[in-house]
Amino acid sequence: FGTPIGTGALRETRVSMRNTRRDLNKVVDGMKGAPLTEDEHKKLHTQVQDLLKEYEKKVDETQKGKTTEIESV
């Protein structure tokens, strides 16, 4: 196989996760100043990014597992 299995669905999943990150960052940006200090604002952005990376890893692991499973059949 030249293309990894499930590429289309995985791309959609990644786009969806990134859109969610963008939306969360907008909410965090709206809280900047009054309810959040600058440090708290940066910390929330970092936490959102870290969560995205964590779930992107899980998507990659799922793809690898499914590819292995299908290739072994």
Side-chain angles (χ1 to χ4, degrees):
F1 295 107
T3 304
I5 296 169
T7 302
L10 292 171
R11 186 178 309 120
E12 289 176 22
T13 300
R14 286 187 181 98
V15 168
S16 177
M17 290 188 312
R18 289 179 183 136
N19 288 341
T20 300
R21 175 189 58 193
R22 182 195 62 224
D23 295 344
L24 284 170
N25 282 335
K26 284 181 184 179
V27 170
V28 171
D29 288 342
M31 297 167 57
K32 188 176 180 180
L36 291 180
T37 66
E38 186 67 29
D39 288 341
E40 291 169 329
H41 177 259
K42 288 180 182 179
K43 184 177 180 180
L44 281 175
H45 273 288
T46 300
Q47 288 174 337
V48 168
Q49 182 62 31
D50 291 346
L51 278 172
L52 177 73
K53 287 179 184 179
E54 177 185 335
Y55 282 94
E56 281 182 333
K57 265 189 215 177
K58 290 180 181 187
V59 168
D60 290 341
E61 290 169 2
T62 300
Q63 178 188 16
K64 287 177 188 174
K66 289 295 180 185
T67 300
T68 302
E69 179 182 323
I70 290 171
E71 289 176 349
S72 69
V73 172

